[in-house]
Amino acid sequence: MAEHPELLPYGIIREDLFRPLSRAGSKWWFTVVACFLLVVAGLAAWGVQLRDGLGVTGLNRPVFWGLYIVDFVFWIGISHAGTLISAILRLTDAAWRKPVTRAAEAITLFALMIGGLFPIIHLGRAWFFYWLIPYPNARLMWPNFRSPLVWDLTAIVTYVTGSAIYLYLPLIPDMAQLGAHNKPWRRKLYKALSLGWTGSDREWHALEMAMKLNAVIILAVAISVHTVVAWDFSMSIAPTWHSTIFGPYFVVGAIFSGIGALIIVMATLRRTLHLENYLIKRHFDNMSKLLLTMSLLWFYFTMSEHITIWYGNEPKEMGVFGQRTRGDYAFWFWLMVFVNFVVPVTLLGIKKLRSVKTAVIASFGVLIGMWLERYLIVIPTLVTPRLASATSVYTPSWVELMITVATFAAMIMLYLLFARLFPIIAVWEYKPHSPEEED
Amino acid sequence: MVIDLDRCTGCEACVVACHSENNIGMSTPEEAARGRVNHWIRIDRYYEGQFPDIKVKYRPVLCQHCDEAPCEPVCPVNATYHNPEGLNVQVYNRCVGTFYCANNCPYTVRSFNWFDPKWPEPMQLQHNPDVSIRPGGVMEKCTFCIQRIKRVEDQADAAGRPVADGEVQPACVQSCPAEAMIFGDLNDPDSKVSRLAGDGRATKLMEELGTKPKVVYLEKAR
């Protein structure tokens, strides 16, 4: 088929990309309903936790952080798929980015919405979460600005706001196109979202400028967000958490898992929405190379982190190191190394093996591996506290597992709804410059 | 506070006294097995030698009221802070339960109310009216029996005299049959605790972390 989607006539492109908005198959309905039920089950589990207390989790003394924090770091990591990748590609003017950016930016927004919930779910008194927000209040108190959790809240709120704007700006011209014809309720929605876009030169210039500025700002925000998430750990004095490398290590891990998520989403969209002409092999090839690079970087960071602990041989740190490499968590640790490093390097590093299918397989492995990485950072440290008498074990409860499953369902559901409401590829970007070429 | 480890018999009277003085909720055996015990003071056991020639050493561990407490800066809502008297205090009404303080405490002495606190009948009848009952979802820890400190200070104020050395006795100190625990003012160089803190046997727990703990352990050098 066409090697470059740009060479297709604009009329066909518009037809192809707007078609998914008007037709929903039974498979789509089935998946959305199934995911919705899982989300409801997750909310019910949260309800049980709010009613009874955090005792319904597997947390104990000294394992005060568990699956919720693992999920939190994981989802904030996934959010680095979109904005960061799309901003880099936009700023470097990579021509092949057109069909990838919006799909990526949507992941960011949804992953942040989900990830941002976990610190609240995790609170002992979740209904008072707003006490962390600095605003003039009846308690006459500011939050403690020295706490990394306040930095975290600030970073994530900034990132969600920025990502929402970043996703929305390039949607405006498409909204205007869709507002012209459609079912009445959709016409209303698209018209409202188009903000009265007429397509004048002045508007295009303003939009172009806004998108460029936003890309630069969001790049800095994205990197700082995951650094701050890492600082939640490294600002503490717990063995192996107190590490200077955690900021960049977490950012690399986040981009790594984000690219994995993006490859899976791209392959699914291509298959289900028949976008074979748009998401071509070249896109997967490029994304595979990016994933491969990140896999090597991840390995470099993981090795730096562990080899210094091992060589330094400090007893408390070695306790955690031992738990990871040959203790209770050894299986998961070596599985993580296998799926995060061995699999991607073999499947994507050898040119003959590199294909859409192997990229998807490697990406699933990376998602599992990166979730495990966060688990292996949070739990082994907490089960081996400095005073041996406080040592404990941690087994997640059904409530924690249910909520974790529900967030994956929420991601799929939100994405499916998004793909039916908005064109998943920015149509206007293919629009020819002179009006004669339009038909 | 000074704790003489060479006197401690590990009887756990301090643990019981602390529970009833401070209205600490009672865990069930099942919950305790899951690591949900709720004590503000615990007795750590250390074994020396090979069975049967074995020696057990005890160390009561409670909040060390660190001068450089790692739990304080990490709390986003200022629920734990240093009061003007130098105590590390926990304001239950401010706590939202982020757990960060407990994770950053190297002594693992903070305990959390996993559920609303419960007492088996008729234990709820012996609650101390001077101490509030903490709801579920809130972190708590040893206060050095701040209610007793305040009461003695108020009495001394009313009588127009300074607080005498040894006048304040937290529940654990009062109940210790071996008189292994002594409480007093470390700022007063003539107090008993100040003299004992200068003893050759004096050590502090994990002082190397820079936490500046205010609990001094007396222990014969081995």
Side-chain angles (χ1 to χ4, degrees):
Chain A
M1 292 303 273
E3 266 304 286
H4 294 286
E6 285 86 354
L7 299 178
L8 289 167
Y10 183 59
I12 291 185
I13 293 180
R14 200 163 53 181
E15 176 74 6
D16 273 354
L17 297 182
F18 284 164
R19 195 186 312 118
L21 305 183
S22 47
R23 234 188 290 153
S26 57
K27 264 189 205 157
W28 184 87
W29 278 110
F30 174 78
T31 321
V32 168
V33 171
C35 287
F36 178 73
L37 291 176
L38 280 174
V39 171
V40 170
L43 287 173
W46 190 15
V48 169
Q49 181 182 303
L50 286 173
R51 188 194 64 195
D52 294 349
L54 255 85
V56 299
T57 64
L59 299 171
N60 57 64
R61 173 156 112 180
V63 190
F64 291 104
W65 284 357
L67 230 51
Y68 296 146
I69 300 298
V70 175
D71 291 335
F72 163 65
V73 183
F74 175 80
W75 281 113
I76 301 293
I78 294 293
S79 79
H80 280 54
T83 310
L84 201 70
I85 296 163
S86 120
I88 292 171
L89 297 181
R90 254 183 222 284
L91 290 174
T92 52
D93 256 338
W96 58 276
R97 70 163 176 86
K98 281 184 194 171
V100 182
T101 43
R102 185 171 296 160
E105 289 154 16
I107 299 180
T108 297
L109 185 62
F110 299 142
L112 276 177
M113 285 161 59
I114 293 166
L117 268 184
F118 275 107
I120 298 173
I121 296 175
H122 181 71
L123 286 184
R125 300 201 286 177
W127 47 96
F128 289 138
F129 77 93
Y130 61 90
W131 285 3
L132 270 75
I133 302 169
Y135 68 100
N137 55 50
R139 290 169 296 126
L140 298 176
M141 272 186 70
W142 290 107
N144 177 11
F145 293 107
R146 292 184 302 164
S147 169
L149 295 181
V150 172
W151 313 342
D152 214 10
L153 178 95
T154 316
I156 289 170
V157 171
T158 312
Y159 194 29
V160 172
T161 318
S163 304
I165 297 171
Y166 192 66
L167 171 69
Y168 178 55
L169 284 179
L171 259 175
I172 296 172
D174 279 352
M175 293 298 94
Q177 284 202 59
L178 282 166
H181 32 82
N182 240 309
K183 282 183 203 153
W185 71 269
R186 276 186 186 250
R187 200 182 309 153
K188 249 189 208 155
L189 173 75
Y190 295 137
K191 268 241 170 78
L193 286 174
S194 73
L195 302 178
W197 175 269
T198 56
S200 69
D201 275 358
R202 205 179 61 85
E203 284 173 352
W204 279 113
H205 280 302
L207 183 69
E208 204 61 44
M209 193 60 173
M211 288 194 305
K212 272 232 170 83
L213 258 178
N214 210 339
V216 177
I217 296 167
I218 209 80
L219 208 60
V221 173
I223 288 174
S224 69
V225 165
H226 223 70
T227 307
V228 170
V229 169
W231 285 350
D232 285 348
F233 299 97
S234 53
M235 291 296 168
S236 81
I237 53 167
T240 74
W241 281 4
H242 190 61
S243 159
T244 54
I245 209 176
F246 261 32
Y249 183 28
F250 272 48
V251 173
V252 162
I255 302 172
F256 187 32
S257 62
I259 294 173
L262 181 54
I263 291 178
I264 293 170
V265 165
M266 277 164 57
T268 316
L269 289 174
R270 178 172 131 116
R271 187 90 171 268
T272 52
L273 301 183
H274 307 291
L275 299 175
E276 284 87 351
N277 285 342
Y278 301 89
L279 292 164
I280 56 177
K281 198 151 180 287
R282 178 159 162 242
H283 292 117
F284 287 91
D285 210 47
N286 284 346
M287 294 304 293
S288 297
K289 283 178 194 160
L290 262 178
L291 192 72
L292 179 61
T293 316
M294 297 316 292
S295 173
L296 294 171
L297 255 177
W298 175 84
F299 185 75
Y300 166 69
F301 270 102
T302 307
M303 197 184 70
S304 311
E305 178 68 14
H306 286 90
I307 206 165
T308 45
I309 292 172
W310 174 73
Y311 201 96
N313 204 20
E314 199 272 316
K316 289 296 160 200
E317 303 231 309
M318 277 311 274
V320 182
F321 180 85
Q323 280 280 12
R324 282 196 199 141
T325 53
R326 39 180 195 274
D328 297 347
Y329 301 90
F331 172 75
W332 303 109
F333 181 83
W334 295 110
L335 178 67
M336 168 189 80
V337 174
F338 182 71
V339 292
N340 270 358
F341 180 66
V342 182
V343 172
V345 167
T346 320
L347 288 183
L348 308 177
I350 300 169
K351 204 171 176 190
K352 265 192 195 151
L353 292 177
R354 202 189 304 147
S355 70
V356 177
K357 207 186 230 170
T358 55
V360 171
I361 294 171
S363 298
F364 270 111
V366 168
L367 288 193
I368 295 168
M370 284 313 296
W371 192 89
L372 284 176
E373 192 221 59
R374 276 63 179 259
Y375 191 85
L376 292 167
I377 284 173
V378 176
I379 311 300
T381 294
L382 292 177
V383 296
T384 44
R386 286 183 189 269
L387 286 177
S389 63
T391 308
S392 181
V393 288
Y394 170 68
T395 323
S397 75
W398 70 270
V399 174
E400 289 168 286
L401 293 172
M402 189 64 244
I403 291 178
T404 303
V405 170
T407 57
F408 283 89
M411 182 73 196
I412 297 170
M413 183 182 80
L414 287 171
Y415 211 90
L416 288 175
L417 291 172
F418 181 81
R420 286 287 174 219
L421 276 176
F422 303 101
I424 203 69
I425 294 175
V427 178
W428 62 267
E429 294 209 90
Y430 294 105
K431 197 174 173 154
H433 289 293
S434 51
E436 305 90 69
E437 289 174 54
E438 263 204 35
D439 296 301
Chain B
M1 178 179 282
V2 173
I3 302 176
D4 192 335
L5 298 182
D6 297 329
R7 279 174 175 253
C8 176
T9 62
C11 71
E12 309 220 12
C14 50
V15 179
V16 177
C18 176
H19 257 270
S20 55
E21 169 74 16
N22 291 301
N23 301 341
I24 303 172
M26 296 219 171
S27 189
T28 61
E30 299 79 45
E31 283 294 302
R34 298 173 64 196
R36 303 268 182 78
V37 282
N38 212 6
H39 304 316
W40 288 5
I41 180 169
R42 65 168 191 269
I43 311 285
D44 281 2
R45 267 169 288 176
Y46 293 90
Y47 300 97
E48 277 172 20
Q50 289 286 318
F51 184 81
D53 191 16
I54 202 164
K55 226 178 157 185
V56 187
K57 291 214 128 197
Y58 302 101
R59 182 195 292 273
V61 181
L62 66 166
C63 175
Q64 309 283 308
H65 289 268
C66 310
D67 273 342
E68 293 286 340
C71 53
E72 287 173 9
V74 297
C75 175
V77 288
N78 286 309
T80 184
Y81 82 109
H82 239 62
N83 82 352
E85 289 186 319
L87 288 178
N88 170 273
V89 294
Q90 177 78 13
V91 186
Y92 308 121
N93 287 340
R94 289 181 192 165
C95 178
V96 297
T98 67
F99 300 93
Y100 205 163
C101 55
N103 273 349
N104 214 21
C105 173
Y107 308 100
T108 323
V109 290
R110 291 179 157 262
S111 53
F112 186 75
N113 289 287
W114 299 103
F115 300 104
D116 280 330
K118 279 194 201 79
W119 289 268
E121 296 268 341
M123 302 281 292
Q124 82 283 0
L125 297 175
Q126 60 98 55
H127 280 162
N128 184 352
D130 291 339
V131 179
S132 59
I133 288 175
R134 287 77 59 187
V138 164
M139 194 63 76
E140 58 182 48
K141 64 162 197 79
C142 161
T143 63
F144 270 172
C145 288
I146 193 166
Q147 66 280 7
R148 293 187 174 207
I149 300 176
K150 290 284 172 221
R151 194 194 303 142
V152 169
E153 280 175 350
D154 287 351
Q155 285 167 356
D157 266 0
R161 58 171 176 86
V163 175
D165 186 30
E167 204 180 344
V168 181
Q169 281 206 326
C172 53
V173 173
Q174 186 187 18
S175 65
C176 182
E179 293 182 2
M181 304 171 91
I182 305 108
F183 188 77
D185 187 0
L186 278 171
N187 284 333
D188 173 9
D190 297 325
S191 68
K192 197 174 174 193
V193 283
S194 287
R195 268 183 287 122
L196 287 169
D199 191 291
R201 293 185 297 148
T203 59
K204 284 178 180 176
L205 195 54
M206 284 190 268
E207 209 180 356
E208 69 276 12
L209 292 174
T211 51
K212 299 192 184 155
K214 275 201 282 287
V215 175
V216 178
Y217 290 96
L218 302 180
E219 193 176 10
K220 238 190 340 243
R222 273 162 279 160

